[in-house]
Amino acid sequence: MRSGEEDKEEDEGGDEEDGEADGDEEDKKEEKVELAVQKQQSSPWAPWFFCRATKEVHYYVGQEIVITEGLDSYAGMIWPGALALCHYLDTHREQLSLVDKAVLEIGAGTGLVSIVAAFLGGWVTATDLPVVLNNLRVNLSRNTRGLCRHTPQVAALTWGYDLESTYPTSVYRYDYVMAADVVYHHDFLEELLFTMKHFCKPGTTLIWANKVRFESDLTFMENFKKAFHTNLLLEDGEMKIFMATCREEEGEGDVGLEDLLREEEEGKTEEAEAEDEDGDVDEDDDDNDDDGEKSKETLVEEQFVDEGKIKGNKNDNDVTGEPHMSEPERGDDKEETNKHESDEEMEEVMVLKDDDCKEDEKDKPDDSSSSTTPSKAEVTGE
């Protein structure tokens, strides 16, 4: 039999052999992984991307503005329209005073225009699609913190037709609406125009800067001019900056200066026309007086003639009718007409007497023995 010490030595030797075997397996696995990585790195088709977000530095309103661009969409880039609009706002502070004004930027992108508007004293709200708000928020916060009169806000805004539910006009009203290079080759130009009209209400000024690149840009520009009262602030080659106000419906909202001037001119022309008409009426009244007297005479003559015609057209058997005669015949037969009139008067007297007698008979009491009705002869005798 073996002693206990020998058994312990054998067990320890077996454990050492098992540990060495496990270590060899792990080394082999690591070698396989390294080989696989080396093969992948040596493959000529393996894609490799080396990128980093760029930063641009701009100087407006006496401030250094550092913009971090993104790589996820067009919203992460600074476009020429934004640079042109920032320069215009900086150099026209007196004409376009943004101090304590409510300013909305649609399609803010990197937020450069909103930052400049905030430095100019505006109460700014920068909007864009929800997926690009992170970079927009970082740029606004980094450049305006503790330096602006009002802290700019960031909000999500998707162009479309259901804005009244998210941005009701009774609550969200702005003095200025800014837009820079929002028109390019995309499929939401109609929604963009509707969004502009939704926010551009009476008392709101819309400032839109854009570079013309495509035919669709020109089409949108024409529709823009039809939808608003527009004024071209700047034109530099293909770069254009428009200022627009809403087209007022008749009897609603504030009235613009052009409308007031137009109404004043129309009022003057109407007064001049009214004075001319009054002068013509006064001259015509004198002529109409003479014509009125003549017309009365002619009407009387025509009335007599018409009566004569009507009487002449009636049937000869008609008792009340009178034969149609000319004036000479009437003059020659005056005596006959006088006799005829006297006879008619006598007949009328007889008829009246007869009627009186009949009324008297009705008033008398009835007598069964005899009749008290007078005869025609007795009445005529009376």
XYZ file of all heavy atoms in Angstrom, residues 301-378:
614
model
N -101.623 116.055 -73.798
C -102.138 115.873 -75.148
C -102.232 114.400 -75.514
O -103.219 113.934 -76.070
C -101.236 116.612 -76.143
C -101.307 118.115 -75.981
C -100.346 118.817 -76.924
O -99.631 118.089 -77.648
O -100.318 120.054 -76.949
N -101.176 113.647 -75.173
C -101.206 112.230 -75.490
C -102.312 111.508 -74.734
O -102.933 110.574 -75.234
C -99.856 111.614 -75.129
C -98.730 112.070 -76.059
C -97.393 111.497 -75.623
O -97.380 110.822 -74.579
O -96.402 111.737 -76.341
N -102.593 111.989 -73.470
C -103.635 111.350 -72.687
C -104.996 111.542 -73.352
O -105.796 110.617 -73.447
C -103.645 111.953 -71.282
C -104.637 111.265 -70.348
C -104.536 111.819 -68.951
O -103.744 112.716 -68.698
N -105.359 111.271 -68.049
N -105.260 112.789 -73.823
C -106.529 113.031 -74.499
C -106.638 112.206 -75.769
O -107.680 111.653 -76.085
C -106.682 114.529 -74.828
C -107.077 115.351 -73.639
C -106.230 116.318 -73.130
C -108.310 115.141 -73.017
C -106.595 117.057 -72.035
C -108.666 115.900 -71.916
C -107.816 116.865 -71.420
N -105.539 112.129 -76.481
C -105.562 111.361 -77.725
C -105.818 109.895 -77.435
O -106.605 109.223 -78.110
C -104.240 111.543 -78.495
C -104.189 110.601 -79.690
C -104.121 112.987 -78.953
N -105.161 109.382 -76.387
C -105.338 107.972 -76.037
C -106.765 107.691 -75.609
O -107.349 106.658 -75.951
C -104.374 107.588 -74.919
C -102.927 107.607 -75.400
O -102.731 107.491 -76.626
O -102.018 107.732 -74.549
N -107.363 108.622 -74.827
C -108.749 108.434 -74.413
C -109.675 108.409 -75.615
O -110.591 107.595 -75.690
C -109.153 109.547 -73.454
C -108.486 109.441 -72.096
C -108.874 110.589 -71.193
O -109.599 111.486 -71.672
O -108.453 110.574 -70.013
N -109.398 109.299 -76.571
C -110.229 109.308 -77.761
C -110.129 108.017 -78.531
O -111.101 107.474 -79.026
N -108.901 107.485 -78.611
C -108.710 106.227 -79.334
C -109.442 105.097 -78.654
O -110.041 104.238 -79.284
C -107.230 105.912 -79.442
C -106.484 106.840 -80.389
C -105.024 106.452 -80.470
C -104.284 107.369 -81.428
N -102.849 107.014 -81.498
N -109.362 105.089 -77.303
C -109.998 104.004 -76.557
C -111.507 104.059 -76.744
O -112.171 103.041 -76.960
C -109.644 104.108 -75.077
C -108.147 103.812 -74.894
C -110.480 103.151 -74.234
C -107.641 104.107 -73.508
N -112.087 105.266 -76.673
C -113.530 105.395 -76.851
C -113.937 105.018 -78.254
O -114.992 104.436 -78.483
C -113.956 106.823 -76.538
C -113.823 107.168 -75.061
C -114.210 108.606 -74.795
C -114.063 108.935 -73.317
N -114.438 110.351 -73.023
N -113.113 105.356 -79.219
C -113.465 105.023 -80.592
C -113.423 103.555 -80.867
O -114.130 103.054 -81.731
N -112.620 102.822 -80.149
C -112.492 101.387 -80.385
C -113.591 100.586 -79.713
O -113.683 99.375 -79.924
C -111.137 100.904 -79.877
C -110.002 101.438 -80.735
O -110.204 101.709 -81.917
N -108.841 101.607 -80.128
N -114.384 101.195 -78.812
C -115.422 100.457 -78.125
C -116.588 100.162 -79.063
O -116.769 100.780 -80.100
C -115.911 101.259 -76.919
C -114.883 101.287 -75.793
C -115.460 101.980 -74.575
C -114.450 101.964 -73.447
N -114.982 102.643 -72.236
N -117.462 99.230 -78.639
C -118.617 98.809 -79.424
C -119.665 99.918 -79.478
O -119.891 100.624 -78.492
C -119.204 97.549 -78.789
C -120.222 96.900 -79.710
O -120.514 97.404 -80.786
N -120.766 95.773 -79.252
N -120.343 100.087 -80.656
C -121.362 101.116 -80.801
C -122.561 100.844 -79.920
O -123.314 101.751 -79.565
C -121.795 101.209 -82.260
C -120.648 101.669 -83.145
O -119.727 102.351 -82.613
O -120.689 101.362 -84.346
N -122.861 99.597 -79.561
C -124.001 99.248 -78.721
C -123.792 99.589 -77.268
O -124.692 99.435 -76.455
C -124.296 97.747 -78.841
C -124.724 97.401 -80.270
O -125.375 98.212 -80.948
N -124.385 96.181 -80.701
N -122.597 99.991 -76.880
C -122.302 100.308 -75.501
C -123.025 101.611 -75.137
O -122.854 102.634 -75.790
C -120.799 100.457 -75.311
C -120.446 100.538 -73.836
O -121.347 100.513 -72.980
O -119.220 100.628 -73.548
N -123.836 101.579 -74.024
C -124.619 102.742 -73.644
C -123.740 103.874 -73.169
O -123.987 105.037 -73.452
C -125.649 102.351 -72.561
C -126.455 103.574 -72.090
C -126.571 101.275 -73.072
N -122.679 103.550 -72.427
C -121.822 104.581 -71.865
C -120.801 105.085 -72.846
O -120.070 106.018 -72.558
C -121.073 104.019 -70.651
O -120.289 102.891 -71.064
C -122.066 103.591 -69.580
N -120.709 104.502 -74.013
C -119.699 104.898 -74.966
C -120.028 106.198 -75.641
O -121.156 106.674 -75.637
N -119.044 106.788 -76.265
C -119.210 108.040 -76.987
C -118.501 107.895 -78.311
O -117.359 107.461 -78.353
C -118.602 109.184 -76.182
C -118.793 110.539 -76.838
C -118.190 111.641 -76.000
O -117.626 111.322 -74.945
O -118.242 112.798 -76.433
N -119.106 108.191 -79.387
C -118.466 108.047 -80.700
C -117.275 108.981 -80.825
O -117.276 110.089 -80.295
C -119.588 108.427 -81.687
C -120.509 109.267 -80.907
C -120.475 108.738 -79.507
N -116.289 108.510 -81.536
C -115.062 109.287 -81.714
C -115.280 110.329 -82.769
O -115.672 110.031 -83.904
C -113.922 108.359 -82.130
C -112.657 109.102 -82.413
N -111.942 109.757 -81.431
C -111.996 109.308 -83.578
C -110.876 110.313 -81.971
N -110.899 110.058 -83.279
N -115.053 111.573 -82.374
C -115.227 112.670 -83.301
C -114.022 113.561 -83.239
O -113.397 113.716 -82.193
C -116.481 113.477 -82.938
C -117.781 112.709 -83.148
S -119.200 113.775 -82.904
C -119.043 114.148 -81.177
N -113.709 114.200 -84.313
C -112.603 115.130 -84.368
C -113.024 116.453 -83.778
O -114.198 116.710 -83.557
C -112.147 115.316 -85.819
O -113.204 115.841 -86.588
N -112.078 117.364 -83.582
C -112.356 118.651 -82.968
C -113.289 119.508 -83.799
O -114.182 120.160 -83.275
C -111.033 119.387 -82.703
C -110.161 118.707 -81.646
C -110.828 118.715 -80.310
O -111.625 119.644 -80.041
O -110.592 117.792 -79.506
N -113.150 119.576 -85.102
C -114.087 120.415 -85.867
C -115.516 119.950 -85.737
O -116.439 120.742 -85.621
C -113.577 120.284 -87.303
C -112.127 119.956 -87.145
C -112.065 119.099 -85.931
N -115.749 118.640 -85.783
C -117.103 118.139 -85.663
C -117.695 118.504 -84.309
O -118.870 118.846 -84.206
C -117.114 116.631 -85.852
C -116.759 116.223 -87.270
C -116.688 114.719 -87.411
O -116.712 114.043 -86.354
O -116.605 114.238 -88.541
N -116.851 118.409 -83.250
C -117.337 118.793 -81.940
C -117.725 120.278 -81.912
O -118.684 120.681 -81.273
C -116.282 118.508 -80.886
C -116.067 117.039 -80.628
C -114.993 116.858 -79.584
N -114.744 115.448 -79.358
C -115.407 114.702 -78.464
N -116.373 115.254 -77.733
N -115.136 113.420 -78.311
N -116.963 121.116 -82.562
C -117.275 122.554 -82.565
C -118.551 122.866 -83.309
O -119.290 123.770 -82.954
N -118.834 122.135 -84.383
C -120.008 122.411 -85.186
C -121.281 121.939 -84.510
O -122.367 122.474 -84.751
C -119.873 121.744 -86.551
C -118.709 122.358 -87.332
O -118.336 123.518 -87.022
O -118.159 121.664 -88.222
N -121.188 120.911 -83.699
C -122.383 120.293 -83.123
C -122.523 120.606 -81.650
O -122.861 119.729 -80.840
C -122.355 118.787 -83.345
C -122.329 118.442 -84.830
O -122.849 119.234 -85.605
O -121.791 117.368 -85.161
N -122.214 121.850 -81.224
C -122.318 122.186 -79.820
C -123.760 122.156 -79.331
O -124.061 121.725 -78.224
C -121.739 123.583 -79.574
C -120.224 123.603 -79.680
C -119.702 124.989 -79.380
C -118.181 125.007 -79.460
N -117.629 126.363 -79.189
N -124.698 122.621 -80.164
C -126.085 122.669 -79.738
C -126.618 121.276 -79.500
O -127.328 121.017 -78.540
C -126.909 123.388 -80.799
C -126.507 124.851 -80.959
C -127.320 125.539 -82.048
O -128.110 124.825 -82.704
O -127.162 126.748 -82.213
N -126.288 120.343 -80.394
C -126.797 118.983 -80.238
C -126.265 118.346 -78.955
O -126.987 117.656 -78.242
C -126.405 118.137 -81.445
C -127.077 118.614 -82.713
C -126.643 117.771 -83.917
O -125.829 116.835 -83.692
O -127.107 118.033 -85.018
N -125.060 118.618 -78.654
C -124.487 118.034 -77.441
C -125.133 118.604 -76.201
O -125.369 117.910 -75.212
C -122.980 118.292 -77.407
O -122.742 119.692 -77.542
C -122.266 117.562 -78.537
N -125.476 119.939 -76.232
C -126.127 120.542 -75.080
C -127.500 119.934 -74.839
O -127.909 119.669 -73.706
C -126.260 122.050 -75.277
C -124.900 122.748 -75.251
O -123.995 122.263 -74.565
N -124.774 123.873 -75.949
N -128.248 119.696 -75.927
C -129.548 119.066 -75.777
C -129.411 117.663 -75.219
O -130.194 117.240 -74.373
C -130.257 119.021 -77.147
C -130.663 120.393 -77.646
C -131.339 120.276 -79.010
C -131.744 121.649 -79.540
N -132.430 121.565 -80.867
N -128.461 116.996 -75.717
C -128.277 115.616 -75.258
C -127.936 115.581 -73.764
O -128.432 114.736 -73.003
C -127.155 114.974 -76.071
C -126.909 113.537 -75.710
N -127.823 112.536 -76.008
C -125.871 112.947 -75.073
C -127.364 111.378 -75.583
N -126.154 111.617 -75.004
N -127.147 116.551 -73.318
C -126.799 116.602 -71.913
C -128.013 116.923 -71.051
O -128.196 116.368 -69.963
C -125.702 117.652 -71.690
C -124.347 117.229 -72.261
C -123.315 118.323 -72.100
O -123.688 119.426 -71.622
O -122.143 118.075 -72.457
N -128.899 117.843 -71.516
C -130.104 118.179 -70.739
C -131.023 116.981 -70.621
O -131.626 116.741 -69.573
C -130.833 119.357 -71.392
O -131.254 119.003 -72.703
N -131.169 116.216 -71.687
C -132.012 115.020 -71.627
C -131.469 114.025 -70.623
O -132.217 113.402 -69.871
C -132.106 114.377 -73.004
C -132.833 115.276 -74.009
O -133.610 116.140 -73.555
O -132.575 115.099 -75.229
N -130.173 113.868 -70.614
C -129.558 112.929 -69.670
C -129.794 113.388 -68.235
O -130.047 112.579 -67.333
C -128.073 112.815 -69.935
C -127.756 112.059 -71.231
C -126.253 111.952 -71.473
O -125.487 112.602 -70.728
O -125.860 111.220 -72.383
N -129.772 114.709 -67.968
C -130.005 115.216 -66.631
C -131.428 114.930 -66.181
O -131.670 114.545 -65.030
C -129.730 116.723 -66.578
C -128.244 117.051 -66.728
C -128.005 118.546 -66.759
O -129.007 119.305 -66.750
O -126.823 118.955 -66.798
N -132.412 115.086 -67.073
C -133.801 114.804 -66.727
C -133.989 113.343 -66.397
O -134.693 112.983 -65.451
C -134.706 115.197 -67.909
C -134.818 116.697 -68.134
S -135.596 117.567 -66.747
C -137.239 116.865 -66.826
N -133.364 112.470 -67.165
C -133.489 111.038 -66.881
C -132.895 110.701 -65.524
O -133.446 109.899 -64.764
C -132.795 110.233 -67.971
C -133.528 110.294 -69.306
C -132.786 109.512 -70.379
O -131.702 108.956 -70.046
O -133.264 109.444 -71.505
N -131.791 111.331 -65.162
C -131.183 111.075 -63.871
C -132.095 111.529 -62.738
O -132.221 110.865 -61.701
C -129.833 111.800 -63.766
C -128.756 111.178 -64.668
C -127.464 111.965 -64.598
O -127.416 112.964 -63.870
O -126.507 111.536 -65.259
N -132.814 112.682 -62.904
C -133.728 113.168 -61.877
C -134.866 112.203 -61.680
O -135.295 111.901 -60.555
C -134.240 114.585 -62.245
C -135.383 115.019 -61.330
C -133.086 115.564 -62.175
N -135.388 111.662 -62.784
C -136.499 110.720 -62.696
C -136.073 109.462 -61.969
O -136.811 108.904 -61.158
C -136.988 110.386 -64.104
C -137.618 111.573 -64.842
S -139.126 112.165 -64.071
C -140.206 110.781 -64.386
N -134.893 108.992 -62.252
C -134.410 107.773 -61.605
C -134.246 107.991 -60.115
O -134.587 107.143 -59.289
C -133.094 107.325 -62.251
C -132.474 106.179 -61.441
C -133.327 106.866 -63.674
N -133.770 109.173 -59.699
C -133.600 109.474 -58.295
C -134.941 109.516 -57.573
O -135.076 109.016 -56.446
C -132.880 110.821 -58.126
C -131.388 110.831 -58.547
C -130.863 112.265 -58.499
C -130.572 109.948 -57.620
N -135.960 110.126 -58.218
C -137.282 110.156 -57.596
C -137.828 108.771 -57.427
O -138.443 108.433 -56.412
C -138.236 111.016 -58.446
C -137.923 112.502 -58.372
C -138.914 113.287 -59.216
C -138.638 114.802 -59.109
N -139.620 115.605 -59.897
N -137.687 107.953 -58.417
C -138.185 106.577 -58.345
C -137.542 105.836 -57.188
O -138.195 105.104 -56.437
C -137.908 105.887 -59.665
C -138.615 104.543 -59.762
O -139.386 104.199 -58.860
O -138.356 103.831 -60.745
N -136.245 106.024 -56.989
C -135.538 105.359 -55.889
C -136.048 105.834 -54.548
O -136.192 105.058 -53.583
C -134.036 105.624 -55.985
C -133.438 104.958 -57.223
O -134.043 103.996 -57.709
O -132.344 105.414 -57.680
N -136.379 107.148 -54.413
C -136.884 107.682 -53.151
C -138.221 107.072 -52.803
O -138.526 106.757 -51.641
C -137.004 109.201 -53.218
C -135.628 109.871 -53.337
O -134.618 109.257 -52.869
O -135.560 111.005 -53.867
N -139.054 106.910 -53.806
C -140.371 106.327 -53.559
C -140.249 104.896 -53.083
O -140.979 104.436 -52.213
C -141.232 106.394 -54.829
S -141.692 108.082 -55.287
N -139.359 104.163 -53.670
C -139.183 102.774 -53.245
C -138.710 102.698 -51.806
O -139.154 101.833 -51.043
C -138.181 102.091 -54.154
C -138.724 101.862 -55.554
C -137.665 101.164 -56.415
C -138.207 100.938 -57.818
N -137.218 100.276 -58.699
N -137.861 103.608 -51.370
C -137.396 103.601 -49.993
C -138.543 103.935 -49.041
O -138.656 103.351 -47.953
C -136.258 104.611 -49.814
C -134.973 104.171 -50.520
C -133.888 105.221 -50.384
O -134.150 106.270 -49.754
O -132.785 104.980 -50.886
N -139.457 104.862 -49.434
C -140.610 105.205 -48.590
C -141.525 104.026 -48.423
O -142.075 103.784 -47.356
C -141.364 106.388 -49.184
C -140.522 107.654 -49.164
O -139.610 107.752 -48.277
O -140.739 108.546 -50.016
N -141.701 103.258 -49.482
C -142.569 102.095 -49.400
C -141.999 101.069 -48.442
O -142.746 100.381 -47.732
C -142.737 101.474 -50.779
C -143.588 102.348 -51.693
C -143.673 101.752 -53.106
O -143.023 100.689 -53.293
O -144.339 102.328 -53.950
N -140.744 100.917 -48.394
C -140.142 99.954 -47.482
C -140.364 100.370 -46.036
O -140.506 99.538 -45.142
C -138.644 99.821 -47.758
C -138.349 99.137 -49.068
C -136.849 99.041 -49.271
C -136.552 98.356 -50.598
N -135.102 98.268 -50.859
N -140.391 101.683 -45.740
C -140.564 102.159 -44.383
C -141.996 101.996 -43.895
O -142.258 101.902 -42.688
C -140.161 103.624 -44.272
C -138.664 103.794 -44.557
O -137.892 102.813 -44.297
O -138.245 104.901 -44.997
N -143.028 102.004 -44.802
C -144.430 101.891 -44.396
C -144.735 100.495 -43.940
O -144.131 99.548 -44.404
C -145.346 102.263 -45.560
C -145.276 103.730 -45.899
C -146.202 104.037 -47.073
C -146.143 105.529 -47.425
N -147.052 105.859 -48.559
N -145.747 100.282 -43.001
C -146.147 98.935 -42.557
C -146.859 98.200 -43.675
O -147.504 98.789 -44.527
C -147.067 99.195 -41.358
C -147.591 100.559 -41.590
C -146.512 101.335 -42.276
N -146.788 96.883 -43.653
C -147.422 96.062 -44.693
C -148.937 96.026 -44.486
O -149.445 95.872 -43.369
C -146.868 94.643 -44.648
C -145.405 94.636 -45.039
O -144.964 95.581 -45.716
O -144.680 93.674 -44.603
N -149.711 96.132 -45.572
C -151.176 96.060 -45.536
C -151.622 94.906 -46.399
O -151.320 94.873 -47.585
C -151.773 97.373 -46.021
C -153.269 97.430 -45.797
O -153.787 96.440 -45.231
O -153.848 98.432 -46.187
N -152.344 93.940 -45.773
C -152.722 92.730 -46.515
C -153.867 92.967 -47.475
O -154.051 92.219 -48.436
C -153.107 91.614 -45.534
O -154.177 92.045 -44.735
N -154.711 94.010 -47.198
C -155.901 94.205 -48.020
C -155.600 94.840 -49.341
O -156.223 94.543 -50.342
C -156.933 95.054 -47.266
O -156.368 96.330 -46.993
N -154.672 95.751 -49.368
C -154.422 96.483 -50.601
C -152.961 96.736 -50.767
O -152.202 96.652 -49.827
C -155.196 97.811 -50.597
O -154.717 98.621 -49.566
N -152.540 97.077 -51.952
C -151.161 97.367 -52.280
C -151.001 98.864 -52.377
O -151.800 99.534 -53.044
C -150.771 96.705 -53.603
O -149.490 97.113 -53.951
N -149.979 99.432 -51.721
C -149.746 100.865 -51.709
C -148.636 101.272 -52.633
O -148.157 102.391 -52.575
C -149.403 101.322 -50.286
O -148.241 100.642 -49.849
C -150.571 101.088 -49.341
N -148.207 100.356 -53.498
C -147.093 100.682 -54.392
C -147.580 101.622 -55.452
O -148.526 101.311 -56.180
C -146.544 99.427 -55.042
O -146.148 98.536 -54.017
C -145.376 99.746 -55.963
N -147.013 102.824 -55.591
C -147.470 103.764 -56.618
C -147.033 103.298 -57.992
O -146.036 102.611 -58.150
C -146.791 105.077 -56.227
C -145.568 104.657 -55.491
C -145.931 103.389 -54.792
N -147.822 103.713 -58.916
C -147.490 103.359 -60.302
C -146.473 104.338 -60.848
O -146.215 105.382 -60.260
C -148.771 103.365 -61.155
O -149.289 104.684 -61.195
N -145.968 103.983 -61.988
C -144.963 104.836 -62.634
C -145.564 106.140 -63.085
O -144.934 107.192 -63.063
C -144.335 104.083 -63.811
C -143.228 104.844 -64.465
C -142.572 104.014 -65.561
C -141.429 104.774 -66.190
N -140.801 103.989 -67.273
N -146.834 106.086 -63.462
C -147.469 107.305 -63.914
C -147.618 108.286 -62.794
O -147.435 109.499 -62.956
C -148.842 106.979 -64.538
N -148.063 107.795 -61.587
C -148.204 108.683 -60.449
C -146.903 109.326 -60.076
O -146.844 110.505 -59.739
C -148.793 107.912 -59.258
C -150.200 107.441 -59.496
C -150.682 106.574 -58.346
O -149.837 106.253 -57.474
O -151.873 106.242 -58.300
